[in-house]
Amino acid sequence: MSLEQTVSAHYSNKDLLEKIYRGLEQLGFDKNQLTQSDLSSVDEFHIGGSEGTLLLAEKLSLTTSSKVLDIGCGIGGPARLLSSVIGCKVSGIDLTADYVNAGNELTNQVGLSNSVNLVNASALDVPFPDDSFDVSYMIHVGMNIVDKETLFSEAYRVTKPGGVFGIYDVMLAGSEELQYPLPWAEEKEGSAMSSVEDYNLALTKVGFSLTYEEDKTDFAIDFFEKMSITMSSSDGPSPVGLHLLMGELTKQKIGNMAYLIKSGVIAPRIIISKK
């Protein structure tokens, strides 16, 4: 099985939309009167949730007229957030058809289908013409893609000259072995982590100019500490949350990632580059 097949199988979740709607109903939400913020606990599948998305967005120079590409969009949380907050139009691509199908339905339910559209496609073969987007970005995607050079060359190709490419990923920071399962891989075979040096080398090799880099370890530790307090003080997971995406091993996946970040083995980083 190829890595793409392994990754697609890892995230596959055919009943996801039904699970989300059922959870929202338990919380008292009417699925026909949803807003973008009603979905924030389940559709921001990365460290920091909505806050993490906005931290990256601050560095992307987005405006209402920006055409934006979300590479590895999941069920579309960041795309919907940026569209609702900034007013830009966002296209998203993701390898997992279940995510794209659920995401487009949710986008329609919150009234953003005119500005957000998700497509089932590989980040290594982006289905858009050259120079299509003012801004492209990816959030917690590179950990599942070995060929960073092809990944970044596709981002470079579809980004307009003078445009920005933003990355918010978890990267290797030490040489110790990783502990699995993790949110992006239940076993070593599904993971493709690289160091920030490898990211930067691949970015510059395809033509990007590096403009900004930031380690978000402290932000992540604070996020996981707050999450731990919430989880330990409740009677169980909320009807709507990331466990709907991560499954039965959610607590173990989050625990392992938090430990590895706190131990300095891995680190979330933001990298901004320009075409």
Side-chain angles (χ1 to χ4, degrees):
M1 184 181 289
S2 70
L3 180 58
E4 278 203 344
Q5 290 172 322
T6 299
V7 170
S8 185
H10 172 74
Y11 291 112
S12 179
N13 196 332
K14 296 194 179 301
D15 299 324
L16 178 58
L17 189 60
E18 181 183 335
K19 292 173 186 174
I20 293 172
Y21 281 156
R22 191 185 309 128
L24 289 168
E25 185 178 356
Q26 291 177 40
L27 292 173
F29 291 104
D30 181 346
K31 75 173 186 177
N32 296 313
Q33 297 182 1
L34 292 175
T35 66
Q36 176 273 325
S37 60
D38 294 336
L39 303 172
S40 61
S41 63
V42 70
D43 67 2
E44 299 272 359
F45 191 8
H46 51 268
I47 295 169
S50 298
E51 186 180 356
T53 299
L54 294 175
L55 285 174
L56 175 63
E58 287 175 1
K59 310 298 181 184
L60 298 179
S61 303
L62 295 170
T63 69
T64 55
S65 62
S66 296
K67 286 189 64 178
V68 184
L69 176 64
D70 182 332
I71 299 171
C73 61
I75 65 171
R80 286 188 290 272
L81 177 62
L82 296 183
S83 179
S84 62
V85 171
I86 297 169
C88 53
K89 289 193 173 183
V90 186
S91 297
I93 63 166
D94 199 275
L95 188 64
T96 305
D98 294 338
Y99 279 13
V100 169
N101 293 336
N104 280 324
E105 168 67 16
L106 294 170
T107 298
N108 185 58
Q109 289 296 100
V110 301
L112 289 171
S113 56
N114 288 331
S115 56
V116 176
N117 182 56
L118 313 182
V119 178
N120 182 207
S122 168
L124 301 179
D125 187 16
V126 178
F128 293 102
D130 296 359
D131 305 333
S132 293
F133 300 96
D134 302 295
V135 174
S136 55
Y137 69 85
M138 60 183 225
I139 300 177
H140 289 27
V141 172
M143 303 98 80
N144 283 129
I145 299 177
V146 172
D147 189 355
K148 303 291 192 297
E149 191 172 326
T150 297
L151 170 63
F152 298 154
S153 68
E154 279 294 272
Y156 186 88
R157 180 182 65 78
V158 299
T159 303
K160 294 177 181 178
V164 174
F165 177 42
I167 298 171
Y168 175 30
D169 265 1
V170 181
M171 306 178 192
L172 289 174
S175 57
E176 295 86 345
E177 286 289 318
L178 303 186
Q179 297 179 5
Y180 295 91
L182 290 163
W184 60 90
E186 293 192 1
E187 298 177 347
K188 183 178 182 180
E189 289 70 27
S191 184
M193 296 196 74
S194 299
S195 67
V196 65
E197 291 80 13
D198 289 336
Y199 271 73
N200 289 341
L201 181 62
L203 284 165
T204 54
K205 190 171 182 180
V206 304
F208 281 114
S209 298
L210 304 174
T211 61
Y212 182 83
E213 183 184 315
E214 184 178 1
D215 188 316
K216 302 304 295 183
T217 295
D218 290 343
F219 171 72
I221 290 173
D222 183 60
F223 171 72
F224 285 121
E225 286 178 350
K226 290 176 181 175
M227 179 181 285
S228 177
I229 292 170
T230 301
M231 291 173 67
S232 63
S233 63
S234 67
D235 296 327
S238 168
V240 179
L242 293 180
H243 60 284
L244 298 183
L245 302 177
M246 286 190 279
E248 296 179 357
L249 298 176
T250 296
K251 190 171 182 179
Q252 192 175 352
K253 291 174 180 179
I254 291 174
N256 284 342
M257 180 163 65
Y259 171 78
L260 291 169
I261 289 174
K262 198 167 185 177
S263 301
V265 179
I266 61 178
R269 289 179 181 268
I270 289 175
I271 301 174
I272 305 298
S273 56
K274 190 172 183 178
K275 179 173 177 178

